[in-house]
Amino acid sequence: MRNIIICVLAWGSHFTLNAQSVRSIVGAGKAINPYHYTVVKKGDFSKASVGSAHPLASMVGVAMMRKGGNAFDAAIATQLALAVVYPGAGNLGGGGFLLGRKANGELIGIDYREAAPEKAHRDMYLDKNGNAQLNLSQAGHLASGIPGTVAGLFATLPYAKLSFKELVQPAIDLAEKGFAITEREASSLNSTRESFIKNSTRPSALVKEGKWKAGDTLVQKELAATLKRMQKEGSRGFYEGETARLVVEEMQRGNGIISLDDLKNYTAKLRNPLEFEYRGYQVISFAPPSSGGILIAQMLKMIEKYPVGSYGFQTARSVQLMIEAERRAYADRAEFMGDPDFYKVPVKTLISDAYIEQRMSDYTPEKAGSSSTVRAGQIKESEETTHLSVMDEAGNMVAVTTTLNNGYGSRTVVGGAGFLLNNEMDDFSVKPGVPNMYGALGGEANAIVPGKRMLSSMTPTLLLKKNKPYVVVGTPGGTTIPTSVYQAIVNLVDFNMNADDAINKPKFHHQWLPDEVMVEADFDGETKKQLQSMGYKVTNRGGIGRTEIIRVLNNGKKETVADKRGDDSVAGFMP
Ligand code: DON
């Protein structure tokens, strides 16, 4: 007999949970019940906190800190838990970026972005007439880059305090014993069902007879076995041996090209974070192969000389200025950004004061610019990702954005290994002038080359105030990611908002091409009309981003907020 409990969640959403057998997944004291949990949208915590896309994952992160771990332990354990409880974007088969700041001020950037396999080549998605075949770059075996996440987790381990064995155990339990799925998860698994069947060559735990419903238990035995191999053998338990063999066999059953050597040779890379100032705050963000850090640096610097705060939040005046900064920065993204190990990205120039001044020289207040006249600058020189924010008692700050690309990635579940592969190859420029699934364009800088990492928009970001930890922030959302982070920072700094409003107020997005302003449904109607009368094309779209933010308050507490747009949830603890 199954007992069904109805839980009413914060923000009015609800789902049913199956409390059939209550087993906790994390030990003594603060047990986590995977069949009965609640979405918590915000909290002020004096010790440590986590915000992530799923309540169970946030609770796992906090449990590791209670056990004596730090923010890096929490980031590892939360990502592993997300790979189980949030299969749409949490992952072993994807990649990401971790940005950390240790309490002693040391900055850490770990790039575990997927890379193009050795057999990849620049025209691999063109048919014989030279037409782009986006169906191949966006789904199925050929869409996957070499997964980077597991290498990233092990590259983070030296900064953590607990053993990997301990950090992976909650994820193993969640996969092996199962957990109750939310209504949102049930509905997205149902709507992806046909795509899983089409793109996988073996049955998977994500597809079941009939429809998923809220409260059903999702058990993933094969995924648990993969996690156990990692627990026993470290990263070799993923990149070599049984797991690698299963990935390559999956590739051979489809039309994939990832080889045993591709997996064995993959490494995470340390990247120097990008640092700049905005109105006296120090901003730290991710450098290429993310475009995110450069974009937010450009956009914030472009608006810095204007008194944005006095224009008012979401007035036509402030929005128009911010849009024109977005237009110019995104035009540069298409031209100048790619993997810095393969293409010289002119980072310093792009964020220099002189260049920013020149980029805004043709800005006209109250008149829409045009993306046919605003192109990339002149340089003279030789929807599913997931983000988690963590802060601990010592003052370590960690921001991680990780992804399979869109929801459930390539939709290919590795037969016998139980994890989804990414469809990140679509983030390369498949053909100059052909937009990817987020409408982003690119050229030489982001062309496919074996071993190269595809350009990303992921923007894990930290803010310091007078050199002290202030904010950890980031979000999914494809090309809208830098926009969301940019607007969160402006909301905090220029409009003096609290963390909740900074991420949950309506957003707008312009990415150069298409030449339009996309706005969320609750965007101010009057401002929309005024923008239209200035000459902007304004279109409505669904939610922009799912941001997780932690902000240190004057009393030292960590104001932790999860985006209202999903099942995102915070957890934390007091003394
Ligand atoms: O790295 C990138 O920019 C994309 N693969 C991110 C995709 C994403 O955020 C989808 N989420 N909604």
Side-chain angles (χ1 to χ4, degrees):
M1 269 283 284
R2 293 184 162 201
N3 290 327
I4 303 293
I5 298 172
I6 308 283
C7 263
V8 178
L9 305 179
W11 300 93
S13 56
H14 69 275
F15 62 97
T16 54
L17 293 170
N18 176 354
Q20 148 214 33
S21 61
V22 176
R23 287 171 295 203
S24 69
I25 56 156
V26 177
K30 292 281 166 185
I32 298 172
N33 179 345
Y35 309 101
H36 185 189
Y37 54 87
T38 311
V39 170
V40 181
K41 286 297 178 190
K42 53 185 169 181
D44 295 348
F45 305 99
S46 51
K47 272 210 167 174
S49 64
V50 179
S52 86
H54 198 284
L56 290 170
S58 297
M59 288 190 275
V60 163
V62 165
M64 293 300 130
M65 293 194 281
R66 278 185 192 280
K67 266 185 133 180
N70 63 20
F72 294 91
D73 291 279
I76 294 172
T78 301
Q79 282 176 88
L80 286 161
L82 283 170
V84 180
V85 299
Y86 189 48
N91 66 83
L92 298 184
F97 300 126
L98 177 144
L99 179 66
R101 181 180 187 270
K102 285 173 54 177
N104 66 7
E106 183 190 340
L107 297 182
I108 296 144
I110 303 177
D111 162 9
Y112 45 102
R113 181 74 164 157
E114 300 90 329
E118 217 29 61
K119 287 206 184 107
H121 57 92
R122 68 183 291 144
D123 296 336
M124 64 188 277
Y125 297 109
L126 303 186
D127 67 13
K128 59 180 189 310
N129 301 318
N131 298 318
Q133 298 175 281
L134 297 179
N135 55 326
L136 295 180
S137 67
Q138 295 183 356
H141 299 65
L142 203 56
S144 302
I146 309 163
T149 293
V150 175
L153 297 175
F154 283 96
T156 310
L157 203 55
Y159 305 100
K161 290 161 86 177
L162 304 176
S163 66
F164 190 79
K165 191 167 177 289
E166 289 169 278
L167 297 172
V168 73
Q169 191 59 49
I172 292 174
D173 291 343
L174 285 164
E176 198 158 50
K177 298 172 190 161
F179 65 99
I181 60 170
T182 64
E183 187 170 341
R184 196 182 300 268
E185 187 64 63
S187 126
S188 61
L189 285 174
N190 289 335
S191 58
T192 320
R193 182 191 161 90
E194 298 316 315
S195 187
F196 288 138
I197 293 170
K198 182 171 167 215
N199 293 297
S200 301
T201 60
R202 293 282 184 271
S204 94
L206 302 177
V207 176
K208 71 164 203 166
E209 287 288 315
K211 285 203 178 301
W212 289 103
K213 57 184 188 323
D216 282 350
T217 302
L218 175 58
V219 174
Q220 301 170 84
K221 296 269 189 214
E222 292 178 346
L223 176 57
T226 298
L227 291 164
K228 282 184 186 168
R229 285 190 291 275
M230 288 161 50
Q231 189 178 43
K232 197 163 156 224
E233 300 160 37
S235 79
R236 291 169 70 172
F238 183 86
Y239 288 104
E240 296 179 47
E242 172 82 355
T243 313
R245 182 180 65 75
L246 291 167
V247 171
V248 171
E249 284 176 7
E250 182 62 54
M251 288 287 124
Q252 286 160 355
R253 288 194 296 272
N255 56 348
I257 54 174
I258 296 176
S259 68
L260 287 175
D261 279 346
D262 284 330
L263 292 165
K264 195 172 165 189
N265 296 334
Y266 181 89
T267 51
K269 296 185 181 183
L270 290 177
R271 302 276 182 201
N272 286 331
L274 197 124
E275 295 175 77
F276 62 95
E277 288 219 351
Y278 179 63
R279 300 197 201 277
Y281 291 82
Q282 292 149 279
V283 186
I284 304 156
S285 193
F286 219 89
S290 173
S291 60
I294 299 179
L295 289 180
I296 63 166
Q298 289 192 311
M299 296 187 293
L300 290 169
K301 281 163 164 273
M302 283 180 199
I303 65 168
E304 195 172 17
K305 76 172 190 189
Y306 300 89
V308 179
S310 73
Y311 294 174
F313 172 70
Q314 228 149 82
T315 57
R317 198 170 182 199
S318 65
V319 172
Q320 194 238 346
L321 171 66
M322 291 176 71
I323 289 170
E324 290 304 325
E326 291 184 10
R327 182 200 304 282
R328 285 159 178 77
Y330 277 85
D332 283 355
R333 181 192 195 276
E335 183 71 23
F336 298 121
M337 298 181 212
D339 182 345
D341 295 341
F342 288 77
Y343 186 89
K344 195 169 179 309
V345 183
V347 182
K348 275 203 181 123
T349 307
L350 288 173
I351 63 173
S352 69
D353 292 342
Y355 181 73
I356 296 291
E357 179 81 32
Q358 169 207 322
R359 287 301 269 151
M360 284 301 269
S361 60
D362 58 352
Y363 164 64
T364 317
E366 290 174 40
K367 183 171 178 298
S370 154
S371 293
S372 56
T373 50
V374 174
R375 315 289 301 185
Q378 297 295 316
I379 296 257
K380 288 196 202 83
E381 41 162 70
S382 23
E383 271 168 48
E384 191 92 359
T385 297
T386 190
H387 175 85
L388 56 111
S389 294
V390 192
M391 221 189 272
D392 65 20
E393 194 184 7
N396 295 302
M397 311 164 81
V398 182
V400 176
T401 314
T402 176
T403 185
L404 290 165
N405 200 10
N406 71 333
Y408 307 100
S410 65
R411 316 293 168 77
T412 301
V413 180
V414 177
F419 62 88
L420 279 155
L421 287 168
N422 65 83
N423 57 343
E424 218 72 68
M425 292 296 283
D426 191 61
D427 272 351
F428 277 119
S429 171
V430 164
K431 182 183 176 182
V434 174
N436 73 1
M437 69 171 81
Y438 302 105
L441 295 168
E444 194 53 39
N446 192 31
I448 304 172
V449 180
K452 186 172 172 183
R453 297 175 185 213
M454 53 297 279
L455 183 63
S456 174
S457 298
M458 293 186 287
T459 316
T461 297
L462 311 174
L463 252 70
L464 307 180
K465 195 175 176 177
K466 301 194 177 114
N467 235 358
K468 295 234 165 58
Y470 182 48
V471 168
V472 183
V473 65
T475 180
T479 45
T480 67
I481 294 173
T483 295
S484 286
V485 173
Y486 161 58
Q487 291 177 21
I489 294 174
V490 171
N491 288 347
L492 289 173
V493 172
D494 294 270
F495 299 119
N496 294 314
M497 288 184 190
N498 61 28
D500 187 356
D501 285 346
I503 65 167
N504 283 322
K505 288 275 183 193
K507 294 192 213 126
F508 53 93
H509 174 67
H510 194 297
Q511 59 177 48
W512 178 52
L513 290 174
D515 192 349
E516 64 186 11
V517 188
M518 295 167 233
V519 299
E520 291 188 305
D522 48 353
F523 185 85
D524 187 83
E526 187 48 41
T527 300
K528 185 173 167 184
K529 275 195 214 135
Q530 288 178 32
L531 290 170
Q532 283 164 329
S533 66
M534 290 177 193
Y536 289 96
K537 179 177 174 205
V538 185
T539 52
N540 284 343
R541 57 156 283 166
I544 297 180
R546 282 172 60 172
T547 308
E548 323 298 347
I549 189 167
I550 303 176
R551 181 174 74 124
V552 180
L553 300 172
N554 288 337
N555 62 10
K557 285 199 175 154
K558 295 160 182 72
E559 181 190 25
T560 309
V561 186
D563 202 298
K564 68 178 182 185
R565 297 168 183 85
D567 293 328
D568 308 47
S569 187
V570 306
F573 65 113
M574 307 287 205

